[in-house]
Amino acid sequence: MLRIVPIYPELLSIYADRGNVRVLAQRARWRGLPVEVVPLGLGEELDPAAADVILIGGGQDRDQALVAEALIAQTPALRSAIADGVPVLAVCGGFQLLGHRYVDQSGRETPGTGLVDLETHAGTRRIIGNVLVDVRLGGEVHTMVGFENHAGRTRLGAGVTPFGRPKVGGGNDGDGLAEGCRVDRVIGTYVHGPLLPKNPWLADQLLSWACQHRGLDPVLETLDDRLEAAAAETAMRIARTESR
Ligand code: GLN
């Protein structure tokens, strides 16, 4: 049984990030894979052996502060799952909490898990808009589509690779040079949408890694993604034409 584990979805699912959970589950079901969604609630302990893909959604500053202590307490379990090959997708606030800290505009510091060497400080202007990001994954270059809405400016540590390079959008700190982070199967990104419906290639990479972790065939049956491709194409057209 594949287990999809969203972390604190009742607080970290801003801008429809819970859609990412539904897409992974549905793309598994379309392939006849046994799958269940096992949300981790505040106060519950993550069992690293009972997760095949972990999702951490975005949140307002206050939601991040509410979950930080509980999330930090899960760091050993998260580290163990990651070391065992469990993929992690962390979006925006979730991405920021992969790092050492998030400092909001008032200067209030929310500690992070420190799982990835990065740090985020809020800027005075929110970075908002549709995004297009060049992502190299699985030996192919993809155009990731979605939108961003964050005050945070994230700096990656020297050994941390960006997930992609923005073609449209501000990226990690507004300079448009780097978007997200990737360390092996841990992916952080600022891209909401939700992200996965219009980026099925990313959903399937996460699902393939999850299958591999669970001892299932990581080669997935091809699905008819014409609808997903049409949605992505529309998003690309809008992102290319809108001015910021
Ligand atoms: N509160 C964080 C910020 O403003 C994250 C926002 C989000 O998750 N969209 O940068």
Side-chain angles (χ1 to χ4, degrees):
M1 176 71 78
L2 279 175
R3 291 180 182 86
I4 301 171
V5 178
I7 305 283
Y8 312 143
E10 69 277 13
L11 285 168
L12 294 180
S13 282
I14 197 170
Y15 309 133
D17 288 341
R18 67 178 71 249
N20 293 333
V21 179
R22 297 183 61 180
V23 165
L24 282 182
Q26 188 55 52
R27 293 183 74 83
R29 290 190 188 106
W30 278 333
R31 291 167 167 125
L33 294 169
V35 64
E36 63 178 339
V37 176
V38 187
L40 186 79
L42 269 181
E44 296 175 349
E45 293 298 314
L46 173 67
D47 174 0
D52 298 300
V53 52
I54 292 170
L55 298 164
I56 314 175
Q60 302 294 3
D61 292 7
R62 66 178 176 278
D63 300 322
Q64 288 172 272
L66 280 174
V67 305
E69 186 180 342
L71 183 64
I72 289 168
Q74 306 308 314
T75 301
L78 286 165
R79 205 180 293 280
S80 167
I82 291 166
D84 197 46
V86 173
V88 175
L89 174 67
V91 178
C92 204
F95 164 37
Q96 296 169 344
L97 291 177
L98 288 181
H100 304 296
R101 65 188 56 79
Y102 170 67
V103 181
D104 71 16
Q105 289 181 2
S106 71
R108 182 178 68 171
E109 181 173 318
T110 297
T113 60
L115 287 165
V116 179
D117 181 16
L118 60 87
E119 183 158 322
T120 304
H121 293 248
T124 52
R125 175 183 62 85
R126 291 191 73 81
I127 299 176
I128 301 174
N130 290 298
V131 299
L132 297 180
V133 183
D134 278 342
V135 172
R136 178 176 294 278
L137 190 66
E140 292 181 60
V141 177
H142 303 274
T143 298
M144 180 166 71
V145 299
F147 76 85
E148 61 186 336
N149 182 334
H150 54 101
R153 303 309 190 263
T154 296
R155 295 275 181 195
L156 303 181
V160 180
T161 308
F163 183 44
R165 184 176 179 86
K167 295 199 292 190
V168 173
N172 287 346
D173 60 6
D175 64 7
L177 296 178
E179 203 293 319
C181 75
R182 179 167 175 216
V183 181
D184 299 327
R185 293 181 175 183
V186 177
I187 293 172
T189 177
Y190 271 114
V191 183
H192 295 282
L195 173 63
L196 296 182
K198 293 195 284 287
N199 298 284
W201 51 273
L202 180 53
D204 283 352
Q205 179 63 78
L206 293 167
L207 214 42
S208 176
W209 284 335
C211 285
Q212 195 169 26
H213 177 259
R214 187 49 59 187
L216 300 172
D217 185 350
V219 178
L220 302 176
E221 174 196 343
T222 302
L223 295 176
D224 177 353
D225 283 337
R226 281 174 294 179
L227 200 55
E228 291 80 354
E233 189 50 46
T234 301
M236 286 183 213
R237 192 169 58 249
I238 293 168
R240 288 191 182 108
T241 53
E242 78 170 358
S243 58
R244 282 212 180 193

